[in-house]
Amino acid sequence: MWLIDQLAEQHILEAQQKGELSQLPGEGAPLKLDDDSAVPPELRSSYRLLKNAGYLPPELEMRREAVSLNDLLKELDPLDHQHKAAAQRLALLKLKLQNAGMSTDFLDGDYRDNLHQRLRREG
């Protein structure tokens, strides 16, 4: 066990003994844990910390921007001056994602539409 894990466990036990964790909202409810089985055990706490802080890896941030630009392009008139700039930025992002080994299929076809519907339901 890592030192930080041991310190966290120690503080949790002390707080439990003092009763500081009693009567909190959600007490006794099951935890909703992320599936981090693909992340090496020694990196899991770091990844979780970054995720909780709102940090995304550069590839996922580019992916998020690509989806946003793709949605914007659907709404813009092709003759609008913003359309050309957004299309160029999207093409650049697609190229960067492909160079990083990621598929850009999520921007085309049914997969994209299904993903958008799911994100809207969850958001």
Side-chain angles (χ1 to χ4, degrees):
M1 187 180 284
W2 293 86
L3 178 61
I4 193 147
D5 294 330
Q6 292 174 345
L7 289 173
E9 288 293 326
Q10 179 183 348
H11 285 287
I12 291 170
L13 286 174
E14 289 173 5
Q16 284 176 329
Q17 291 169 353
K18 293 177 186 176
E20 295 174 353
L21 301 178
S22 297
Q23 306 300 322
L24 292 175
E27 181 179 10
L31 296 175
K32 296 178 184 174
L33 300 176
D34 293 334
D35 179 19
D36 57 2
S37 59
V39 179
E42 63 274 9
L43 296 177
R44 288 180 185 162
S45 59
S46 301
Y47 277 33
R48 193 172 300 116
L49 179 69
L50 290 170
K51 180 182 176 193
N52 291 341
Y55 173 80
L56 281 178
E59 294 83 8
L60 291 181
E61 190 61 47
M62 284 189 294
R63 185 178 173 135
R64 179 190 291 176
E65 184 181 353
V67 169
S68 296
L69 282 171
N70 201 34
D71 289 343
L72 177 65
L73 286 170
K74 288 181 190 176
E75 303 297 322
L76 288 176
D77 181 354
L79 300 176
D80 189 333
H81 71 283
Q82 292 180 341
H83 188 278
K84 183 178 179 182
Q88 288 174 339
R89 177 69 182 151
L90 181 59
L92 178 64
L93 285 172
K94 278 180 150 180
L95 184 61
K96 285 183 177 182
L97 288 168
Q98 290 167 350
N99 285 339
M102 294 181 69
S103 171
T104 57
D105 292 344
F106 63 93
L107 294 171
D108 304 312
D110 294 333
Y111 178 81
R112 179 192 63 215
D113 296 334
N114 291 338
L115 179 64
H116 285 272
Q117 288 175 0
R118 182 174 178 186
L119 290 175
R120 287 187 186 119
R121 280 193 309 252
E122 292 176 4

